Amino acid sequence: MTFEDVQIGQALPELVIPITASAIVAGAIATNDFENVHHDKAAAQATGVPDIFMNILTTNGFVQRFVTDWAGQGARIRKIAIRLGAPNFVGDAMKMSGEVAAVDAAARTADVKVSGRNGIGEHVSATVTIGFAEGAR
C-alpha cells in the first residue's frame, strides 16, 4: 500500500484474535510485566475476576499489528493513543475493526481509529497515526 491508496472512511479488514492463556502469559513475559494477574489464575481470581487477563502492552502490540498488517511495509507508526475497557480473559476472542479517520497529505500521515471488542464489550479503543515516506511502497 502507498500513501496515495489511503482514503478517509476506508475500512480495515476485521481481525479476530483468540485470547489464550499462552498469548496472555507470553505477552506479559515479553513486556517484563510480572504482575501475577497475567499468569496466575488463582491470584487473578482472588482479585474478583474469572481468570488471567491481557496486559496493556500486549494489547498495544495487537493494535499495532492490526494496523501495520493492513498498511504494509511502507507505513510506520508515528503515534498511538490507546484506552482499555473490558478485560481480555482466556477463552474469549477479540474482534478488531478499524477505519481511516483522517489523512494529512502535507505530512503524509493518516489517523486510523481502531476498536477491539470481546464477549463483554470494547476491550480497546485507539487512534493510530501512520506515516509514509516519500515513494514508500
Side-chain angles (χ1 to χ4, degrees):
M1 170 177 294
T2 67
F3 176 74
E4 290 72 25
D5 298 324
V6 179
Q7 302 293 321
I8 293 175
Q10 188 174 9
L12 281 66
E14 183 180 78
L15 174 65
V16 179
I17 298 170
I19 307 303
T20 65
S22 295
I24 292 171
V25 173
I29 290 169
T31 60
N32 291 318
D33 184 346
F34 302 110
E35 281 293 321
N36 58 6
V37 294
H38 302 307
H39 64 84
D40 183 331
K41 184 174 181 171
Q45 289 175 328
T47 70
V49 297
D51 209 331
I52 61 174
F53 54 92
M54 189 173 285
N55 72 357
I56 190 169
L57 294 172
T58 303
T59 297
N60 194 329
F62 280 126
V63 168
Q64 291 182 53
R65 170 194 166 191
F66 175 62
V67 173
T68 58
D69 280 359
W70 166 77
Q73 294 179 351
R76 297 291 179 262
I77 302 286
R78 296 280 177 87
K79 180 171 73 170
I80 297 178
I82 194 165
R83 182 172 164 228
L84 288 185
N88 266 341
F89 292 114
V90 172
D92 207 343
M94 179 170 57
K95 293 180 182 176
M96 300 194 73
S97 60
E99 181 177 302
V100 177
V103 174
D104 183 336
R108 296 182 60 80
T109 61
D111 289 344
V112 180
K113 296 282 187 186
V114 175
S115 176
R117 300 188 66 81
N118 59 35
I120 56 177
E122 187 171 52
H123 170 68
V124 63
S125 61
T127 300
V128 180
T129 302
I130 56 173
F132 293 81
E134 192 73 37
R137 292 207 173 267

